[in-house]
Amino acid sequence: MPQILTPELVVLDADLGADKEAVIRALAARAAGTDRVVDGDGLAAAVLDREALTPTGMGAGIAIPHCKSAAVREPSLAFARLQPPVDFGAPDGPADLVFMIMAPDGAAETHLAVLSRLAGSLIDERFTDALRSASSPAEVVALVEDVVADRDEADAAPVAEGARSIVAVTACPTGIAHTYMAADALKAAAERAGVRIAVETQGSAGTKRLDPAVIAAADAVVFAVDVDVRERGRFAGKPFVQVPVKRGIDAADALIQEALGHADDPNGPRIAGSTSAEATPAPSAGNLGGTVKRALLTGVSYMIPFVAGGGLLIALGFLLGGFRITEVAGDVIIQNTLWNLPDGGLGQYLGAVLFSIGAASMGFLVPALAGYIAYAIADRPGIAPGFVAGAVAGTMDAGFIGGLVGGLLAGLAAWWIGTWRVPSWLRGLMPVVIIPLLASIFASGLMVMLLGGPIAALMAGLTAWLSSLTGTGAVLLGLLLGTMMAFDLGGPINKVAYGFAVAGLGAGSPENPSPWLIMAAVMAAGMVPPLGMALASTLDRRLFTPVERENGKAAWLLGASFISEGAIPFAATDPLRVIPAAILGSAATGAISMAAGVTSQAPHGGFFVFFAIGNLLMFTIAIAVGTVITALAVIALKRWARRAPAVQEAEPALVAA
């Protein structure tokens, strides 16, 4: 069994600082003094990045900060018994026992399994009591070696024959600590309740899939997860409870009882789907907002490829065939071929072909948006009614907003119909016939008879208002769009601004350039946050860790390509300084772009679609101004918020797990 803790990595009854960052940095520095870690700063940054996702204070005076990082050479632990205790975000108070779990990026499964055993042991009060009374580092090492060598890894506690059974899945973002602690807590709770349990840990030590026969025999399912459950469709039809992974640790007994209660309730929640490979959690009053948010982001993410490809093809069509290609494209591709070119020659013919393909792709914008919003809510049975509702919204000129509404209606209808209890002979028809049929009638019927007209009128009024904007009004719109693009860097608000721009792109023309103006402002503003972070990390390197400086190099290309998410590694660990700085720069860029009359016929691509940008010089100037504003603002905020001696210990950057 590999040794994961050595006496030099044990600190007893020490004051390592007033907050968890100081404790983590102190333990990382101690680990860097051994041959197990190659970069103490990089290790601290990775642990703090993980800490930013979810606090690792587990309650009962225990904290388990952890990470996977290239800074770690060998899977290891560092242990501190703190005096005084330090707050790690647990609801019941600060922690006096801190285990920092360190794993290399490519750690072998056997090593990660050892770490998982240690994490699971932390729910055992006898073990933690022994740690609190240990008198030397050697005694702590011996205690740890005992638990990692002797822990029982069986999937289920021995219980009486005929007992009720539960299956569970646990998973956390890094898959090192919480995953296995939740698994052990659920096993212990099931044993106390006299319930048979089998747990699938979807963690870094690998996943041992539950036997389908065990799943089939289970009375209920518990998902204690912070990430998507892999192959969720295996559990379709089962009563279930789904909670964050930390609740699987803190409230394991309650979860077991809740799952059994759902099993006894014929109207309790069931995992959706019968033949689908994936299923989604049931929308409820408690999680409806999160479900809607996830659905909207899913719809936009699936819509973007149609828009990006189609928009670029339309722009190329204009480039080759001229702006009047919209009037003749249909006739040109029907009446002509490569061997029978139109009067405008090869350029007009190719322009017509590209424009027609692009227009066909853009035609899927609203149906794809609605279809995949419905898919995110109801899984595969929602796709068909969602696409139909989106197509109806397009037919009624309800546009982007109509697609949002239609997708939500279709998804909720499909999910609700999927909860119906039907005879066994009808179940096979539900996902392929009954659900699509009834959900399409419901969602599309509402769009045609009730909602489509008012939404179309709203869209027409909004379009007319935007077309009338000039001067100060246009500048204010640019400020608003720029602010939205930087507010959450690829999140819901960013996607609303982007979706609003691309939805109107096809209506742009030389006589009505407003949609092109809006698209240019949105794209330019969205390029600023990553470019600003790249410039800031170049101008004042001391304010950024080595990992952040590497992220800054990549952000140059991401920003130039209009990938706003390139700034997320910076914003995730320092949002109160990065986000305001990004908003300042993006708002300025949006305003300048609108004021200068910059246009874009392409929905994506940044500088790489220069041929589709009208007034490329001002487009570049607007982006440059916003980039400088963001860079200077974030540098000023970082300097103002830090004492001079601490400048070199800058905020950690996001490291992908």
Side-chain angles (χ1 to χ4, degrees):
M1 186 66 62
Q3 187 177 34
I4 59 173
L5 180 64
T6 60
E8 59 264 33
L9 291 177
V10 176
V11 181
L12 297 181
D13 302 321
D15 183 352
L16 297 184
D19 57 27
K20 63 182 179 180
E21 179 175 351
V23 173
I24 289 169
R25 292 191 180 279
L27 290 177
R30 179 174 285 264
T34 71
D35 59 1
R36 294 168 174 260
V37 171
V38 295
D39 179 7
D41 289 339
L43 170 61
V47 176
L48 288 167
D49 287 338
R50 173 59 186 86
E51 197 73 24
L53 295 175
T54 308
T56 55
M58 307 310 301
I62 300 168
I64 49 166
H66 55 278
C67 75
K68 292 175 66 177
S69 170
V72 180
R73 181 182 287 119
E74 181 180 351
S76 305
L77 297 171
F79 172 75
R81 192 169 68 199
L82 300 177
Q83 191 59 251
V86 171
D87 183 14
F88 272 78
D92 62 350
D96 64 322
L97 299 182
V98 178
F99 267 106
M100 193 162 85
I101 302 178
M102 304 167 283
D105 277 338
E109 287 188 9
T110 54
H111 290 80
L112 288 168
V114 173
L115 295 177
S116 74
R117 294 180 190 181
L118 183 279
S121 297
L122 294 176
I123 66 168
D124 186 342
E125 291 185 2
R126 293 169 298 178
F127 177 53
T128 55
D129 287 345
L131 290 173
R132 288 189 170 96
S133 61
S135 59
S136 68
E139 187 175 348
V140 171
V141 171
L143 287 168
V144 170
E145 287 181 346
D146 285 344
V147 298
V148 300
D150 297 336
R151 279 187 56 77
D152 180 14
E153 289 298 295
D155 277 339
V159 293
E161 289 296 326
R164 306 191 72 179
S165 66
I166 287 176
V167 291
V169 176
T170 61
C172 66
T174 51
I176 296 175
H178 293 71
T179 298
Y180 303 101
M181 293 182 72
D184 279 20
L186 288 169
K187 290 176 185 177
E191 185 176 6
R192 288 190 291 271
V195 174
R196 189 178 303 279
I197 190 168
V199 183
E200 179 177 306
T201 52
Q202 297 184 353
S204 294
T207 300
K208 183 180 178 182
R209 286 164 48 93
L210 289 168
D211 188 322
V214 174
I215 297 175
D219 295 295
V221 181
V222 173
F223 292 140
V225 295
D226 286 337
V227 295
D228 289 339
V229 175
R230 302 170 197 167
E231 299 180 83
R232 186 188 182 102
R234 294 175 290 157
F235 307 92
K238 291 288 183 182
F240 80 111
V241 177
Q242 179 162 339
V243 296
V245 69
K246 282 192 70 174
R247 189 155 182 256
I249 302 168
D250 301 335
D253 293 286
L255 290 178
I256 296 295
Q257 296 306 318
E258 186 177 353
L260 293 176
H262 290 329
D264 295 332
D265 181 2
N267 298 317
R270 299 293 188 271
I271 298 173
S274 57
T275 60
S276 65
E278 295 291 328
T280 54
S284 66
N287 69 2
L288 184 59
T291 299
V292 170
K293 173 184 173 181
R294 175 175 52 81
L296 294 179
L297 290 178
T298 299
V300 172
S301 68
Y302 277 100
M303 174 196 78
I304 286 175
F306 291 97
V307 173
L312 288 171
L313 287 168
I314 289 174
L316 288 170
F318 283 137
L319 180 67
L320 295 176
F323 286 115
R324 298 299 175 189
I325 197 66
T326 57
E327 303 170 6
V328 300
D331 292 336
V332 167
I333 62 173
I334 292 174
Q335 299 173 7
N336 298 276
T337 67
L338 283 172
W339 296 271
N340 177 32
L341 294 174
D343 294 340
L346 181 63
Q348 186 183 44
Y349 179 70
L350 292 178
V353 170
L354 293 174
F355 176 85
S356 299
I357 297 172
S361 180
M362 289 289 285
F364 286 101
L365 187 158
V366 176
L369 173 69
Y372 286 105
I373 287 175
Y375 164 75
I377 296 173
D379 196 56
R380 294 184 195 177
I383 292 180
F387 265 86
V388 173
V392 169
T395 300
M396 299 195 69
D397 295 324
F400 182 71
I401 296 177
L404 294 177
V405 174
L408 290 172
L409 289 173
L412 291 171
W415 167 79
W416 177 62
I417 296 168
T419 64
W420 294 357
R421 302 184 69 83
V422 298
S424 57
W425 59 268
L426 191 58
R427 290 175 189 165
L429 293 177
M430 288 294 288
V432 294
V433 178
I434 306 300
I435 295 176
L437 172 65
L438 297 182
S440 295
I441 292 173
F442 174 77
S444 297
L446 280 178
M447 288 299 297
V448 171
M449 297 185 290
L450 187 62
L451 301 174
I455 295 175
L458 173 65
M459 291 296 295
L462 184 60
T463 301
W465 174 68
L466 292 174
S467 300
S468 68
L469 285 177
T470 57
T472 302
V475 172
L476 291 176
L477 178 61
L479 281 169
L480 175 62
L481 292 172
T483 298
M484 294 175 70
M485 290 302 293
F487 188 82
D488 54 1
L489 301 174
I493 295 175
N494 171 286
K495 288 296 188 286
V496 166
Y498 179 71
F500 171 70
V502 299
L505 191 60
S509 67
E511 294 77 22
N512 177 31
S514 294
W516 295 347
L517 291 168
I518 292 169
M519 189 72 252
V522 163
M523 183 152 65
M527 295 165 66
V528 165
L531 291 175
M533 293 303 107
L535 180 59
S537 62
T538 301
L539 292 177
D540 199 337
R541 295 169 58 84
R542 298 175 304 157
L543 293 173
F544 300 89
T545 65
V547 178
E548 281 183 317
R549 293 196 288 268
E550 288 301 314
N551 288 336
K553 294 176 183 177
W556 286 114
L557 179 60
L558 295 173
S561 305
F562 180 35
I563 300 176
S564 302
E565 290 84 349
I568 287 178
F570 300 89
T573 55
D574 195 7
L576 295 181
R577 283 173 284 194
V578 171
I579 294 296
I583 289 175
L584 286 174
S586 293
T589 293
I592 294 171
S593 177
M594 290 293 287
V598 179
T599 61
S600 173
Q601 298 167 36
H604 216 288
F607 287 121
F608 296 96
V609 292
F610 62 90
F611 57 85
I613 304 297
N615 200 346
L616 181 61
L617 176 61
M618 285 307 302
F619 180 75
T620 304
I621 290 174
I623 294 170
V625 170
T627 298
V628 171
I629 290 174
T630 292
L632 295 180
V634 78
I635 288 172
L637 288 171
K638 281 181 176 287
R639 287 181 176 177
W640 173 77
R642 290 184 177 276
R643 298 189 303 271
V647 165
Q648 296 187 18
E649 292 187 8
E651 295 290 330
L654 183 65
V655 179

